[in-house]
Amino acid sequence: MELSLSNISKTYKNGVKALDDVTIDISAGMFGLLGPNGAGKSTLMRTIATLQAPDSGIASLNGINILEDKIALRQTLGYLPQSFGVYPKMSAEDLLLYFARLKGISNKKEREEIVQTALEITNLWEVRKKNVKGYSGGMKQRFGIAQLLLNSPKLIIVDEPTAGLDPAERHRFLNVLREIGTNNIVIFSTHIVDDVKELCTDMAIMNGGKILSHHTPTEGVERLKGQMWTKNIQRDDLEEHEAKFNVISSNFNQDNSLNIRVHSEMQPDESFASSNPELEDVYFVTLHKDSEVVAA
Ligand SMILES: Nc1ncnc2c1ncn2[C@@H]1O[C@H](COP(=O)(O)OP(=O)(O)O)[C@@H](O)[C@H]1O
Ligand SMILES: [Mg+2]
């Protein structure tokens, strides 16, 4: 399985360049697309799902041009949009049986089996008789996955599924994704670094319509080895430090002092201690470098 995107660009009618020459290859496994709001994640995902045409560029799945052969793509696609519509007052099971029929699974027994499997994988079997309308946010997201599993997709696109979920629901949801991500390509967008850290075998960081970096989470962290420095300061001293050093993040300590993290190939000065890089550093350093390029 290989999804290959070359030079994909998209400018909306209002002049916003949401995709700026995106080129990336994605193989089987769990791929995390990490970026802040407005980065272009949803636009990229709608483009891969062929729901929206780019202005230019090529997208292919296993060598098949998916922008031209949309039907071939949609037969293997499972797509969960960032927000989806309201549900009728129907139980999860009935609704899935109905969707399975729409998808052309005409044999009743086959339909029941595929629906049961989808409910089991997404941990909804126990609550299958309940109305989806009354489901919690996390259950609705898992129902969304159950729905897309009905046509055994090979390419699964899930757009910001963990946004708004409480920690327990988020955890359950990530476990469901983990289950389906082995043989397929699962592209999963988020602005939460921990989602990628816990789940993904491959990742890219995106902002301003551009892919800023593409590596495994481990490689990203390795690259920053020996380059992260930390120091506790008073909050009034933050501006001065930001002017002098490459401060990429700051967090309050319990005593109300600030812990700052600085990216530098060498020790900035003796007041700084070396610190092990984290995936969050990778994210902030990458975004920070990009904003410097824009400012220059
Ligand atoms: N239909 C649209 N019309 C105009 N601008 C849009 C539209 N959809 C998204 N945008 C803009 O394109 C940029 C990228 O948006 P989006 O792809 O939704 O990013 P993300 O999913 O990373 O938050 C943003 O500046 C957004 O405001
Ligand atoms: Mg989005």
Side-chain angles (χ1 to χ4, degrees):
M1 287 291 283
E2 177 97 346
L3 176 71
S4 187
L5 308 179
S6 310
N7 311 104
I8 301 225
S9 291
K10 171 78 182 181
T11 303
Y12 286 111
K13 287 203 182 83
N14 59 3
V16 172
K17 191 161 201 177
L19 297 178
D20 187 358
D21 202 25
V22 169
T23 295
I24 191 167
D25 288 339
I26 299 173
S27 319
M30 191 64 71
F31 181 89
L33 184 63
L34 181 63
N37 284 335
K41 303 182 298 296
S42 294
T43 303
L44 184 59
M45 296 183 125
R46 284 196 299 268
T47 306
I48 301 169
T50 71
L51 297 170
Q52 187 179 319
D55 300 330
S56 54
I58 298 169
S60 65
L61 182 67
N62 295 336
I64 297 165
N65 182 333
I66 59 174
L67 300 178
E68 275 169 12
D69 197 349
K70 289 184 192 166
I71 292 170
L73 185 268
R74 286 183 193 174
Q75 277 166 351
T76 59
L77 173 75
Y79 169 63
L80 184 63
Q82 189 164 352
S83 54
F84 43 92
V86 285
Y87 288 109
K89 270 194 192 157
M90 249 168 114
S91 77
E93 187 174 40
D94 288 345
L95 208 47
L96 287 175
L97 287 168
Y98 171 72
F99 286 139
R101 186 142 46 163
L102 288 187
K103 283 177 202 276
I105 307 165
S106 51
N107 181 294
K108 184 160 180 277
K109 184 125 199 303
E110 202 182 317
R111 238 178 5 244
E112 284 168 357
E113 274 170 17
I114 205 158
V115 165
Q116 177 169 351
T117 308
L119 286 166
E120 281 170 353
I121 291 176
T122 53
N123 271 318
L124 291 171
W125 180 251
E126 304 281 301
V127 290
R128 68 189 182 281
K129 303 283 183 205
K130 289 197 175 151
N131 278 344
V132 179
K133 229 184 160 111
Y135 273 8
S136 70
M139 287 157 82
K140 279 191 178 130
Q141 290 294 59
R142 281 186 277 134
F143 180 81
I145 296 292
Q147 188 185 324
L148 69 77
L149 289 177
L150 295 176
N151 60 334
S152 316
K154 301 269 176 283
L155 172 64
I156 297 170
I157 297 177
V158 196
D159 196 1
E160 294 232 24
T162 58
L165 300 191
D166 72 38
E169 283 189 330
R170 178 176 158 270
H171 193 75
R172 270 193 291 272
F173 186 83
L174 293 182
N175 277 338
V176 168
L177 277 193
R178 191 170 286 123
E179 191 124 329
I180 63 175
T182 41
N183 297 318
N184 309 319
I185 299 181
V186 180
I187 305 176
F188 156 65
S189 76
T190 182
H191 60 266
I192 304 167
V193 177
D194 280 344
D195 284 351
V196 175
K197 189 169 152 184
E198 287 171 35
L199 198 67
C200 296
T201 46
D202 192 13
M203 67 178 282
I205 297 171
M206 183 171 193
N207 201 15
K210 287 194 168 83
I211 301 288
L212 303 177
S213 69
H214 176 201
H215 41 64
T216 68
T218 316
E219 275 165 9
V221 170
E222 290 283 321
R223 285 182 202 172
L224 287 185
K225 267 222 165 121
Q227 300 182 9
M228 291 310 304
W229 307 89
T230 178
K231 178 184 179 180
N232 288 328
I233 62 169
Q234 294 308 308
R235 78 186 278 175
D236 288 345
D237 296 335
L238 180 60
E239 241 175 59
E240 187 198 325
H241 279 80
E242 280 178 337
K244 229 167 131 188
F245 304 109
N246 195 13
V247 178
I248 61 144
S249 64
S250 57
N251 285 296
F252 281 104
N253 296 312
Q254 282 196 334
D255 65 0
N256 229 15
S257 66
L258 268 182
N259 179 262
I260 59 169
R261 295 181 71 74
V262 165
H263 177 234
S264 166
E265 285 183 17
M266 283 187 289
Q267 187 177 23
D269 71 31
E270 256 126 64
S271 65
F272 284 89
S274 173
S275 179
N276 281 331
E278 302 267 348
L279 195 59
E280 199 173 63
D281 296 325
V282 176
Y283 183 48
F284 288 137
V285 166
T286 305
L287 292 182
H288 197 85
K289 273 191 191 150
D290 181 55
S291 65
E292 279 177 347
V293 172
V294 173

